[in-house]
Amino acid sequence: TQLLEQSPQFLSIQEGENLTVYCNSSSVFSSLQWYRQEPGEGPVLLVTVVTGGEVKKLKRLTFQFGDARKDSSLHITAAQPGDTGLYLCADYGGATNKLIFGTGTLLAVQP
Amino acid sequence: EPEVTQTPSHQVTQMGQEVILRCVPISNHLYFYWYRQILGQKVEFLVSFYNNEISEKSEIFDDQFSVERPDGSNFTLKIRSTKLEDSAMYFCASSGLGHQPQHFGDGTRLSIL
């Protein structure tokens, strides 16, 4: 069974700082996805990356996929309080549509 | 933008009672899912449903659990005899064919006393 480990578990930073969070898989990703979950809400898809070495940007968020497709990072530039939330990486469970989620990074951005 | 809606937002039930959690998936989606998230733990897959039958289920989804699409719009999760360890957030999701993105509802917080 694929295991997705995320680090750090918790991160508390000041508004304007930069940060990077990581996701590592015990096996090659099928289709890596990053979600953000805000308190009291369900996960919301941010991005999907498929190709090793791929880099995708979403405003101040930069997603990088490792060449070997077993790790990924999410970098946030000039964090804002609105970035606060639980960041989850996920992958499809092989040929099925079920999602396997990582352990999550809880980010708090202080104003 | 279409969204997945779940009711109730919070359900408190005595241990041993039956609960039904309800979901209205996005109307043109074909795959439906239930996930749960125990407090402080990761989101776990429970079951997927396609073409009016279960397509996959996890070890968590034992005989106490069942799913149904009773009327072509609702998608329900029933827990027959709840246990304390069933306390969790339950998320419904839906998607199109293949590896289309899954859209999640805001969850039902289930508290078993």
Side-chain angles (χ1 to χ4, degrees), chain B residues 4-41:
Chain B
V4 176
T5 56
Q6 291 186 241
T7 54
S9 56
H10 191 188
Q11 173 83 45
V12 182
T13 302
Q14 292 288 329
M15 185 173 60
Q17 296 295 305
E18 174 184 286
V19 293
I20 298 177
L21 310 183
R22 303 181 190 279
C23 169
V24 179
I26 294 173
S27 61
N28 62 346
H29 281 178
L30 299 173
Y31 278 90
F32 314 109
Y33 313 84
W34 285 100
Y35 294 83
R36 80 172 184 191
Q37 186 176 30
I38 295 172
L39 186 64
Q41 299 185 22

PDB file of all heavy atoms in Angstrom, chain B residues 4-41:
ATOM      1  N   VAL B   4     -20.708  19.939  -4.574  1.00  0.00           N
ATOM      2  CA  VAL B   4     -21.243  18.790  -3.858  1.00  0.00           C
ATOM      3  C   VAL B   4     -21.788  19.291  -2.525  1.00  0.00           C
ATOM      4  O   VAL B   4     -21.098  20.026  -1.818  1.00  0.00           O
ATOM      5  CB  VAL B   4     -20.126  17.750  -3.631  1.00  0.00           C
ATOM      6  CG1 VAL B   4     -20.644  16.593  -2.794  1.00  0.00           C
ATOM      7  CG2 VAL B   4     -19.569  17.248  -4.962  1.00  0.00           C
ATOM      8  N   THR B   5     -23.018  18.922  -2.204  1.00  0.00           N
ATOM      9  CA  THR B   5     -23.600  19.364  -0.944  1.00  0.00           C
ATOM     10  C   THR B   5     -23.863  18.165  -0.041  1.00  0.00           C
ATOM     11  O   THR B   5     -24.277  17.097  -0.520  1.00  0.00           O
ATOM     12  CB  THR B   5     -24.905  20.143  -1.159  1.00  0.00           C
ATOM     13  OG1 THR B   5     -25.819  19.326  -1.895  1.00  0.00           O
ATOM     14  CG2 THR B   5     -24.655  21.408  -1.945  1.00  0.00           C
ATOM     15  N   GLN B   6     -23.612  18.352   1.251  1.00  0.00           N
ATOM     16  CA  GLN B   6     -23.795  17.277   2.216  1.00  0.00           C
ATOM     17  C   GLN B   6     -24.677  17.751   3.365  1.00  0.00           C
ATOM     18  O   GLN B   6     -24.581  18.898   3.809  1.00  0.00           O
ATOM     19  CB  GLN B   6     -22.439  16.838   2.799  1.00  0.00           C
ATOM     20  CG  GLN B   6     -21.551  16.124   1.809  1.00  0.00           C
ATOM     21  CD  GLN B   6     -20.297  15.583   2.469  1.00  0.00           C
ATOM     22  OE1 GLN B   6     -19.180  15.974   2.113  1.00  0.00           O
ATOM     23  NE2 GLN B   6     -20.465  14.671   3.433  1.00  0.00           N
ATOM     24  N   THR B   7     -25.538  16.837   3.824  1.00  0.00           N
ATOM     25  CA  THR B   7     -26.370  17.122   4.984  1.00  0.00           C
ATOM     26  C   THR B   7     -26.441  15.886   5.881  1.00  0.00           C
ATOM     27  O   THR B   7     -26.368  14.746   5.387  1.00  0.00           O
ATOM     28  CB  THR B   7     -27.805  17.498   4.570  1.00  0.00           C
ATOM     29  OG1 THR B   7     -28.341  16.460   3.732  1.00  0.00           O
ATOM     30  CG2 THR B   7     -27.841  18.832   3.857  1.00  0.00           C
ATOM     31  N   PRO B   8     -26.568  16.063   7.210  1.00  0.00           N
ATOM     32  CA  PRO B   8     -26.442  17.343   7.905  1.00  0.00           C
ATOM     33  C   PRO B   8     -24.974  17.748   8.014  1.00  0.00           C
ATOM     34  O   PRO B   8     -24.102  16.957   7.687  1.00  0.00           O
ATOM     35  CB  PRO B   8     -27.043  17.025   9.271  1.00  0.00           C
ATOM     36  CG  PRO B   8     -26.680  15.586   9.507  1.00  0.00           C
ATOM     37  CD  PRO B   8     -26.765  14.929   8.143  1.00  0.00           C
ATOM     38  N   SER B   9     -24.711  18.940   8.510  1.00  0.00           N
ATOM     39  CA  SER B   9     -23.322  19.349   8.708  1.00  0.00           C
ATOM     40  C   SER B   9     -22.757  18.707   9.976  1.00  0.00           C
ATOM     41  O   SER B   9     -21.559  18.459  10.070  1.00  0.00           O
ATOM     42  CB  SER B   9     -23.210  20.867   8.779  1.00  0.00           C
ATOM     43  OG  SER B   9     -24.038  21.379   9.799  1.00  0.00           O
ATOM     44  N   HIS B  10     -23.650  18.450  10.943  1.00  0.00           N
ATOM     45  CA  HIS B  10     -23.222  17.810  12.184  1.00  0.00           C
ATOM     46  C   HIS B  10     -24.318  16.855  12.650  1.00  0.00           C
ATOM     47  O   HIS B  10     -25.500  17.220  12.651  1.00  0.00           O
ATOM     48  CB  HIS B  10     -22.932  18.863  13.259  1.00  0.00           C
ATOM     49  CG  HIS B  10     -22.242  18.329  14.470  1.00  0.00           C
ATOM     50  ND1 HIS B  10     -22.046  19.082  15.615  1.00  0.00           N
ATOM     51  CD2 HIS B  10     -21.684  17.120  14.741  1.00  0.00           C
ATOM     52  CE1 HIS B  10     -21.409  18.347  16.520  1.00  0.00           C
ATOM     53  NE2 HIS B  10     -21.177  17.159  16.009  1.00  0.00           N
ATOM     54  N   GLN B  11     -23.918  15.624  13.001  1.00  0.00           N
ATOM     55  CA  GLN B  11     -24.868  14.615  13.455  1.00  0.00           C
ATOM     56  C   GLN B  11     -24.337  14.025  14.757  1.00  0.00           C
ATOM     57  O   GLN B  11     -23.199  13.541  14.800  1.00  0.00           O
ATOM     58  CB  GLN B  11     -25.005  13.521  12.398  1.00  0.00           C
ATOM     59  CG  GLN B  11     -25.830  12.325  12.800  1.00  0.00           C
ATOM     60  CD  GLN B  11     -27.306  12.552  12.611  1.00  0.00           C
ATOM     61  OE1 GLN B  11     -27.756  13.069  11.599  1.00  0.00           O
ATOM     62  NE2 GLN B  11     -28.074  12.172  13.613  1.00  0.00           N
ATOM     63  N   VAL B  12     -25.175  14.081  15.783  1.00  0.00           N
ATOM     64  CA  VAL B  12     -24.811  13.477  17.076  1.00  0.00           C
ATOM     65  C   VAL B  12     -25.748  12.299  17.313  1.00  0.00           C
ATOM     66  O   VAL B  12     -26.967  12.447  17.231  1.00  0.00           O
ATOM     67  CB  VAL B  12     -24.941  14.490  18.234  1.00  0.00           C
ATOM     68  CG1 VAL B  12     -24.515  13.837  19.544  1.00  0.00           C
ATOM     69  CG2 VAL B  12     -24.100  15.730  17.959  1.00  0.00           C
ATOM     70  N   THR B  13     -25.170  11.138  17.592  1.00  0.00           N
ATOM     71  CA  THR B  13     -25.958   9.907  17.683  1.00  0.00           C
ATOM     72  C   THR B  13     -25.443   9.051  18.821  1.00  0.00           C
ATOM     73  O   THR B  13     -24.245   9.036  19.102  1.00  0.00           O
ATOM     74  CB  THR B  13     -25.853   9.117  16.363  1.00  0.00           C
ATOM     75  OG1 THR B  13     -26.300   9.937  15.301  1.00  0.00           O
ATOM     76  CG2 THR B  13     -26.674   7.843  16.400  1.00  0.00           C
ATOM     77  N   GLN B  14     -26.361   8.325  19.438  1.00  0.00           N
ATOM     78  CA  GLN B  14     -25.966   7.381  20.477  1.00  0.00           C
ATOM     79  C   GLN B  14     -25.355   6.142  19.834  1.00  0.00           C
ATOM     80  O   GLN B  14     -25.793   5.681  18.771  1.00  0.00           O
ATOM     81  CB  GLN B  14     -27.194   6.957  21.291  1.00  0.00           C
ATOM     82  CG  GLN B  14     -27.789   8.064  22.149  1.00  0.00           C
ATOM     83  CD  GLN B  14     -26.912   8.383  23.345  1.00  0.00           C
ATOM     84  OE1 GLN B  14     -26.223   7.525  23.872  1.00  0.00           O
ATOM     85  NE2 GLN B  14     -26.930   9.634  23.774  1.00  0.00           N
ATOM     86  N   MET B  15     -24.370   5.582  20.508  1.00  0.00           N
ATOM     87  CA  MET B  15     -23.730   4.345  20.044  1.00  0.00           C
ATOM     88  C   MET B  15     -24.783   3.267  19.839  1.00  0.00           C
ATOM     89  O   MET B  15     -25.708   3.122  20.644  1.00  0.00           O
ATOM     90  CB  MET B  15     -22.717   3.893  21.096  1.00  0.00           C
ATOM     91  CG  MET B  15     -21.882   2.706  20.714  1.00  0.00           C
ATOM     92  SD  MET B  15     -20.588   2.404  21.933  1.00  0.00           S
ATOM     93  CE  MET B  15     -21.532   2.114  23.408  1.00  0.00           C
ATOM     94  N   GLY B  16     -24.648   2.544  18.738  1.00  0.00           N
ATOM     95  CA  GLY B  16     -25.586   1.473  18.431  1.00  0.00           C
ATOM     96  C   GLY B  16     -26.730   1.901  17.523  1.00  0.00           C
ATOM     97  O   GLY B  16     -27.430   1.045  16.979  1.00  0.00           O
ATOM     98  N   GLN B  17     -26.916   3.208  17.365  1.00  0.00           N
ATOM     99  CA  GLN B  17     -27.977   3.700  16.494  1.00  0.00           C
ATOM    100  C   GLN B  17     -27.520   3.730  15.043  1.00  0.00           C
ATOM    101  O   GLN B  17     -26.330   3.778  14.743  1.00  0.00           O
ATOM    102  CB  GLN B  17     -28.402   5.111  16.919  1.00  0.00           C
ATOM    103  CG  GLN B  17     -29.009   5.185  18.310  1.00  0.00           C
ATOM    104  CD  GLN B  17     -30.314   4.419  18.385  1.00  0.00           C
ATOM    105  OE1 GLN B  17     -31.236   4.668  17.601  1.00  0.00           O
ATOM    106  NE2 GLN B  17     -30.411   3.489  19.307  1.00  0.00           N
ATOM    107  N   GLU B  18     -28.485   3.726  14.159  1.00  0.00           N
ATOM    108  CA  GLU B  18     -28.207   3.838  12.728  1.00  0.00           C
ATOM    109  C   GLU B  18     -28.143   5.309  12.325  1.00  0.00           C
ATOM    110  O   GLU B  18     -28.882   6.136  12.870  1.00  0.00           O
ATOM    111  CB  GLU B  18     -29.330   3.156  11.953  1.00  0.00           C
ATOM    112  CG  GLU B  18     -29.256   3.314  10.447  1.00  0.00           C
ATOM    113  CD  GLU B  18     -30.459   2.700   9.759  1.00  0.00           C
ATOM    114  OE1 GLU B  18     -30.533   1.460   9.682  1.00  0.00           O
ATOM    115  OE2 GLU B  18     -31.329   3.468   9.279  1.00  0.00           O
ATOM    116  N   VAL B  19     -27.228   5.632  11.418  1.00  0.00           N
ATOM    117  CA  VAL B  19     -27.185   6.986  10.868  1.00  0.00           C
ATOM    118  C   VAL B  19     -27.144   6.912   9.343  1.00  0.00           C
ATOM    119  O   VAL B  19     -26.611   5.954   8.767  1.00  0.00           O
ATOM    120  CB  VAL B  19     -25.963   7.797  11.353  1.00  0.00           C
ATOM    121  CG1 VAL B  19     -26.046   8.079  12.831  1.00  0.00           C
ATOM    122  CG2 VAL B  19     -24.669   7.098  11.006  1.00  0.00           C
ATOM    123  N   ILE B  20     -27.730   7.916   8.724  1.00  0.00           N
ATOM    124  CA  ILE B  20     -27.667   8.052   7.267  1.00  0.00           C
ATOM    125  C   ILE B  20     -27.115   9.433   6.961  1.00  0.00           C
ATOM    126  O   ILE B  20     -27.676  10.446   7.381  1.00  0.00           O
ATOM    127  CB  ILE B  20     -29.046   7.872   6.617  1.00  0.00           C
ATOM    128  CG1 ILE B  20     -29.574   6.469   6.887  1.00  0.00           C
ATOM    129  CG2 ILE B  20     -28.950   8.120   5.101  1.00  0.00           C
ATOM    130  CD1 ILE B  20     -30.973   6.216   6.351  1.00  0.00           C
ATOM    131  N   LEU B  21     -26.002   9.458   6.242  1.00  0.00           N
ATOM    132  CA  LEU B  21     -25.401  10.707   5.800  1.00  0.00           C
ATOM    133  C   LEU B  21     -25.756  10.906   4.335  1.00  0.00           C
ATOM    134  O   LEU B  21     -25.669   9.974   3.536  1.00  0.00           O
ATOM    135  CB  LEU B  21     -23.877  10.660   5.987  1.00  0.00           C
ATOM    136  CG  LEU B  21     -23.375  10.223   7.367  1.00  0.00           C
ATOM    137  CD1 LEU B  21     -21.861  10.294   7.427  1.00  0.00           C
ATOM    138  CD2 LEU B  21     -24.011  11.009   8.460  1.00  0.00           C
ATOM    139  N   ARG B  22     -26.124  12.142   4.004  1.00  0.00           N
ATOM    140  CA  ARG B  22     -26.644  12.394   2.666  1.00  0.00           C
ATOM    141  C   ARG B  22     -25.742  13.313   1.859  1.00  0.00           C
ATOM    142  O   ARG B  22     -25.114  14.228   2.408  1.00  0.00           O
ATOM    143  CB  ARG B  22     -28.049  12.991   2.762  1.00  0.00           C
ATOM    144  CG  ARG B  22     -29.004  12.110   3.530  1.00  0.00           C
ATOM    145  CD  ARG B  22     -30.405  12.670   3.626  1.00  0.00           C
ATOM    146  NE  ARG B  22     -31.188  11.891   4.581  1.00  0.00           N
ATOM    147  CZ  ARG B  22     -31.778  10.738   4.310  1.00  0.00           C
ATOM    148  NH1 ARG B  22     -31.691  10.226   3.098  1.00  0.00           N
ATOM    149  NH2 ARG B  22     -32.464  10.098   5.238  1.00  0.00           N
ATOM    150  N   CYS B  23     -25.743  13.109   0.575  1.00  0.00           N
ATOM    151  CA  CYS B  23     -24.885  13.863  -0.333  1.00  0.00           C
ATOM    152  C   CYS B  23     -25.652  14.078  -1.634  1.00  0.00           C
ATOM    153  O   CYS B  23     -26.363  13.171  -2.101  1.00  0.00           O
ATOM    154  CB  CYS B  23     -23.605  13.074  -0.583  1.00  0.00           C
ATOM    155  SG  CYS B  23     -22.551  13.689  -1.910  1.00  0.00           S
ATOM    156  N   VAL B  24     -25.513  15.270  -2.206  1.00  0.00           N
ATOM    157  CA  VAL B  24     -25.998  15.508  -3.563  1.00  0.00           C
ATOM    158  C   VAL B  24     -24.767  15.808  -4.410  1.00  0.00           C
ATOM    159  O   VAL B  24     -24.168  16.882  -4.296  1.00  0.00           O
ATOM    160  CB  VAL B  24     -26.995  16.674  -3.626  1.00  0.00           C
ATOM    161  CG1 VAL B  24     -27.448  16.893  -5.076  1.00  0.00           C
ATOM    162  CG2 VAL B  24     -28.201  16.399  -2.744  1.00  0.00           C
ATOM    163  N   PRO B  25     -24.342  14.841  -5.236  1.00  0.00           N
ATOM    164  CA  PRO B  25     -23.152  15.056  -6.071  1.00  0.00           C
ATOM    165  C   PRO B  25     -23.436  16.059  -7.189  1.00  0.00           C
ATOM    166  O   PRO B  25     -24.579  16.452  -7.410  1.00  0.00           O
ATOM    167  CB  PRO B  25     -22.879  13.661  -6.645  1.00  0.00           C
ATOM    168  CG  PRO B  25     -23.694  12.709  -5.825  1.00  0.00           C
ATOM    169  CD  PRO B  25     -24.872  13.492  -5.355  1.00  0.00           C
ATOM    170  N   ILE B  26     -22.404  16.454  -7.890  1.00  0.00           N
ATOM    171  CA  ILE B  26     -22.555  17.310  -9.062  1.00  0.00           C
ATOM    172  C   ILE B  26     -23.310  16.527 -10.126  1.00  0.00           C
ATOM    173  O   ILE B  26     -23.008  15.351 -10.388  1.00  0.00           O
ATOM    174  CB  ILE B  26     -21.176  17.795  -9.559  1.00  0.00           C
ATOM    175  CG1 ILE B  26     -20.578  18.717  -8.498  1.00  0.00           C
ATOM    176  CG2 ILE B  26     -21.277  18.497 -10.902  1.00  0.00           C
ATOM    177  CD1 ILE B  26     -19.158  19.148  -8.749  1.00  0.00           C
ATOM    178  N   SER B  27     -24.272  17.185 -10.767  1.00  0.00           N
ATOM    179  CA  SER B  27     -25.306  16.475 -11.523  1.00  0.00           C
ATOM    180  C   SER B  27     -24.787  15.637 -12.686  1.00  0.00           C
ATOM    181  O   SER B  27     -25.331  14.583 -12.969  1.00  0.00           O
ATOM    182  CB  SER B  27     -26.363  17.462 -12.025  1.00  0.00           C
ATOM    183  OG  SER B  27     -25.762  18.408 -12.888  1.00  0.00           O
ATOM    184  N   ASN B  28     -23.760  16.047 -13.394  1.00  0.00           N
ATOM    185  CA  ASN B  28     -23.319  15.267 -14.549  1.00  0.00           C
ATOM    186  C   ASN B  28     -22.151  14.346 -14.225  1.00  0.00           C
ATOM    187  O   ASN B  28     -21.533  13.761 -15.124  1.00  0.00           O
ATOM    188  CB  ASN B  28     -22.964  16.183 -15.716  1.00  0.00           C
ATOM    189  CG  ASN B  28     -21.818  17.113 -15.390  1.00  0.00           C
ATOM    190  OD1 ASN B  28     -21.446  17.259 -14.226  1.00  0.00           O
ATOM    191  ND2 ASN B  28     -21.240  17.737 -16.398  1.00  0.00           N
ATOM    192  N   HIS B  29     -21.837  14.198 -12.938  1.00  0.00           N
ATOM    193  CA  HIS B  29     -20.759  13.294 -12.545  1.00  0.00           C
ATOM    194  C   HIS B  29     -21.261  11.859 -12.496  1.00  0.00           C
ATOM    195  O   HIS B  29     -22.460  11.599 -12.311  1.00  0.00           O
ATOM    196  CB  HIS B  29     -20.180  13.711 -11.194  1.00  0.00           C
ATOM    197  CG  HIS B  29     -19.242  14.874 -11.307  1.00  0.00           C
ATOM    198  ND1 HIS B  29     -18.629  15.443 -10.216  1.00  0.00           N
ATOM    199  CD2 HIS B  29     -18.808  15.575 -12.387  1.00  0.00           C
ATOM    200  CE1 HIS B  29     -17.847  16.435 -10.615  1.00  0.00           C
ATOM    201  NE2 HIS B  29     -17.954  16.535 -11.924  1.00  0.00           N
ATOM    202  N   LEU B  30     -20.316  10.934 -12.664  1.00  0.00           N
ATOM    203  CA  LEU B  30     -20.676   9.524 -12.772  1.00  0.00           C
ATOM    204  C   LEU B  30     -20.101   8.669 -11.647  1.00  0.00           C
ATOM    205  O   LEU B  30     -20.588   7.577 -11.396  1.00  0.00           O
ATOM    206  CB  LEU B  30     -20.191   8.976 -14.112  1.00  0.00           C
ATOM    207  CG  LEU B  30     -20.796   9.660 -15.351  1.00  0.00           C
ATOM    208  CD1 LEU B  30     -20.118   9.157 -16.614  1.00  0.00           C
ATOM    209  CD2 LEU B  30     -22.303   9.394 -15.422  1.00  0.00           C
ATOM    210  N   TYR B  31     -19.010   9.156 -11.027  1.00  0.00           N
ATOM    211  CA  TYR B  31     -18.396   8.422  -9.928  1.00  0.00           C
ATOM    212  C   TYR B  31     -18.702   9.144  -8.620  1.00  0.00           C
ATOM    213  O   TYR B  31     -18.653  10.380  -8.563  1.00  0.00           O
ATOM    214  CB  TYR B  31     -16.867   8.349 -10.089  1.00  0.00           C
ATOM    215  CG  TYR B  31     -16.397   7.263 -11.019  1.00  0.00           C
ATOM    216  CD1 TYR B  31     -16.229   7.496 -12.376  1.00  0.00           C
ATOM    217  CD2 TYR B  31     -16.092   5.986 -10.525  1.00  0.00           C
ATOM    218  CE1 TYR B  31     -15.788   6.501 -13.223  1.00  0.00           C
ATOM    219  CE2 TYR B  31     -15.643   4.991 -11.373  1.00  0.00           C
ATOM    220  CZ  TYR B  31     -15.493   5.249 -12.716  1.00  0.00           C
ATOM    221  OH  TYR B  31     -15.051   4.256 -13.553  1.00  0.00           O
ATOM    222  N   PHE B  32     -18.965   8.363  -7.580  1.00  0.00           N
ATOM    223  CA  PHE B  32     -19.288   8.935  -6.278  1.00  0.00           C
ATOM    224  C   PHE B  32     -18.457   8.226  -5.220  1.00  0.00           C
ATOM    225  O   PHE B  32     -18.199   7.013  -5.336  1.00  0.00           O
ATOM    226  CB  PHE B  32     -20.783   8.801  -5.990  1.00  0.00           C
ATOM    227  CG  PHE B  32     -21.637   9.203  -7.158  1.00  0.00           C
ATOM    228  CD1 PHE B  32     -22.343   8.248  -7.882  1.00  0.00           C
ATOM    229  CD2 PHE B  32     -21.705  10.513  -7.556  1.00  0.00           C
ATOM    230  CE1 PHE B  32     -23.102   8.607  -8.985  1.00  0.00           C
ATOM    231  CE2 PHE B  32     -22.471  10.883  -8.656  1.00  0.00           C
ATOM    232  CZ  PHE B  32     -23.165   9.932  -9.378  1.00  0.00           C
ATOM    233  N   TYR B  33     -18.061   8.997  -4.209  1.00  0.00           N
ATOM    234  CA  TYR B  33     -17.122   8.468  -3.219  1.00  0.00           C
ATOM    235  C   TYR B  33     -17.517   8.922  -1.813  1.00  0.00           C
ATOM    236  O   TYR B  33     -18.121   9.980  -1.636  1.00  0.00           O
ATOM    237  CB  TYR B  33     -15.700   9.009  -3.473  1.00  0.00           C
ATOM    238  CG  TYR B  33     -15.225   8.947  -4.896  1.00  0.00           C
ATOM    239  CD1 TYR B  33     -15.550   9.956  -5.796  1.00  0.00           C
ATOM    240  CD2 TYR B  33     -14.436   7.890  -5.339  1.00  0.00           C
ATOM    241  CE1 TYR B  33     -15.101   9.909  -7.108  1.00  0.00           C
ATOM    242  CE2 TYR B  33     -13.990   7.836  -6.646  1.00  0.00           C
ATOM    243  CZ  TYR B  33     -14.329   8.852  -7.529  1.00  0.00           C
ATOM    244  OH  TYR B  33     -13.886   8.797  -8.822  1.00  0.00           O
ATOM    245  N   TRP B  34     -17.130   8.126  -0.855  1.00  0.00           N
ATOM    246  CA  TRP B  34     -17.135   8.539   0.540  1.00  0.00           C
ATOM    247  C   TRP B  34     -15.727   8.365   1.107  1.00  0.00           C
ATOM    248  O   TRP B  34     -15.074   7.338   0.876  1.00  0.00           O
ATOM    249  CB  TRP B  34     -18.122   7.739   1.380  1.00  0.00           C
ATOM    250  CG  TRP B  34     -19.552   8.124   1.161  1.00  0.00           C
ATOM    251  CD1 TRP B  34     -20.473   7.472   0.386  1.00  0.00           C
ATOM    252  CD2 TRP B  34     -20.244   9.238   1.729  1.00  0.00           C
ATOM    253  NE1 TRP B  34     -21.678   8.126   0.437  1.00  0.00           N
ATOM    254  CE2 TRP B  34     -21.578   9.211   1.246  1.00  0.00           C
ATOM    255  CE3 TRP B  34     -19.882  10.273   2.607  1.00  0.00           C
ATOM    256  CZ2 TRP B  34     -22.524  10.169   1.613  1.00  0.00           C
ATOM    257  CZ3 TRP B  34     -20.827  11.216   2.957  1.00  0.00           C
ATOM    258  CH2 TRP B  34     -22.124  11.158   2.466  1.00  0.00           C
ATOM    259  N   TYR B  35     -15.299   9.402   1.836  1.00  0.00           N
ATOM    260  CA  TYR B  35     -14.036   9.376   2.570  1.00  0.00           C
ATOM    261  C   TYR B  35     -14.344   9.772   4.010  1.00  0.00           C
ATOM    262  O   TYR B  35     -15.366  10.403   4.286  1.00  0.00           O
ATOM    263  CB  TYR B  35     -13.041  10.402   1.995  1.00  0.00           C
ATOM    264  CG  TYR B  35     -12.553  10.124   0.601  1.00  0.00           C
ATOM    265  CD1 TYR B  35     -13.308  10.493  -0.511  1.00  0.00           C
ATOM    266  CD2 TYR B  35     -11.329   9.504   0.389  1.00  0.00           C
ATOM    267  CE1 TYR B  35     -12.844  10.251  -1.802  1.00  0.00           C
ATOM    268  CE2 TYR B  35     -10.860   9.254  -0.901  1.00  0.00           C
ATOM    269  CZ  TYR B  35     -11.624   9.636  -1.983  1.00  0.00           C
ATOM    270  OH  TYR B  35     -11.161   9.391  -3.257  1.00  0.00           O
ATOM    271  N   ARG B  36     -13.439   9.418   4.913  1.00  0.00           N
ATOM    272  CA  ARG B  36     -13.612   9.911   6.271  1.00  0.00           C
ATOM    273  C   ARG B  36     -12.275  10.433   6.797  1.00  0.00           C
ATOM    274  O   ARG B  36     -11.201  10.057   6.318  1.00  0.00           O
ATOM    275  CB  ARG B  36     -14.160   8.828   7.200  1.00  0.00           C
ATOM    276  CG  ARG B  36     -13.128   7.858   7.701  1.00  0.00           C
ATOM    277  CD  ARG B  36     -13.664   6.949   8.753  1.00  0.00           C
ATOM    278  NE  ARG B  36     -12.595   6.093   9.277  1.00  0.00           N
ATOM    279  CZ  ARG B  36     -12.781   5.056  10.063  1.00  0.00           C
ATOM    280  NH1 ARG B  36     -14.017   4.730  10.436  1.00  0.00           N
ATOM    281  NH2 ARG B  36     -11.762   4.350  10.491  1.00  0.00           N
ATOM    282  N   GLN B  37     -12.374  11.308   7.790  1.00  0.00           N
ATOM    283  CA  GLN B  37     -11.182  11.895   8.401  1.00  0.00           C
ATOM    284  C   GLN B  37     -11.415  11.931   9.902  1.00  0.00           C
ATOM    285  O   GLN B  37     -12.171  12.771  10.410  1.00  0.00           O
ATOM    286  CB  GLN B  37     -10.945  13.300   7.842  1.00  0.00           C
ATOM    287  CG  GLN B  37      -9.656  13.947   8.297  1.00  0.00           C
ATOM    288  CD  GLN B  37      -9.451  15.299   7.626  1.00  0.00           C
ATOM    289  OE1 GLN B  37     -10.402  16.002   7.296  1.00  0.00           O
ATOM    290  NE2 GLN B  37      -8.197  15.682   7.412  1.00  0.00           N
ATOM    291  N   ILE B  38     -10.788  11.001  10.594  1.00  0.00           N
ATOM    292  CA  ILE B  38     -10.822  11.025  12.057  1.00  0.00           C
ATOM    293  C   ILE B  38      -9.979  12.198  12.526  1.00  0.00           C
ATOM    294  O   ILE B  38      -8.943  12.519  11.904  1.00  0.00           O
ATOM    295  CB  ILE B  38     -10.300   9.696  12.631  1.00  0.00           C
ATOM    296  CG1 ILE B  38     -11.260   8.556  12.240  1.00  0.00           C
ATOM    297  CG2 ILE B  38     -10.134   9.757  14.133  1.00  0.00           C
ATOM    298  CD1 ILE B  38     -10.765   7.174  12.570  1.00  0.00           C
ATOM    299  N   LEU B  39     -10.406  12.839  13.601  1.00  0.00           N
ATOM    300  CA  LEU B  39      -9.734  14.040  14.094  1.00  0.00           C
ATOM    301  C   LEU B  39      -8.235  13.816  14.265  1.00  0.00           C
ATOM    302  O   LEU B  39      -7.816  12.877  14.944  1.00  0.00           O
ATOM    303  CB  LEU B  39     -10.362  14.462  15.419  1.00  0.00           C
ATOM    304  CG  LEU B  39      -9.870  15.790  16.005  1.00  0.00           C
ATOM    305  CD1 LEU B  39     -10.252  16.929  15.065  1.00  0.00           C
ATOM    306  CD2 LEU B  39     -10.451  16.009  17.390  1.00  0.00           C
ATOM    307  N   GLY B  40      -7.446  14.659  13.596  1.00  0.00           N
ATOM    308  CA  GLY B  40      -5.998  14.568  13.722  1.00  0.00           C
ATOM    309  C   GLY B  40      -5.347  13.553  12.818  1.00  0.00           C
ATOM    310  O   GLY B  40      -4.132  13.387  12.846  1.00  0.00           O
ATOM    311  N   GLN B  41      -6.150  12.841  12.014  1.00  0.00           N
ATOM    312  CA  GLN B  41      -5.601  11.813  11.131  1.00  0.00           C
ATOM    313  C   GLN B  41      -5.844  12.192   9.675  1.00  0.00           C
ATOM    314  O   GLN B  41      -6.492  13.189   9.374  1.00  0.00           O
ATOM    315  CB  GLN B  41      -6.213  10.456  11.455  1.00  0.00           C
ATOM    316  CG  GLN B  41      -5.918   9.996  12.872  1.00  0.00           C
ATOM    317  CD  GLN B  41      -6.426   8.587  13.149  1.00  0.00           C
ATOM    318  OE1 GLN B  41      -6.628   7.795  12.231  1.00  0.00           O
ATOM    319  NE2 GLN B  41      -6.637   8.274  14.419  1.00  0.00           N
TER     320      GLN B  41
END
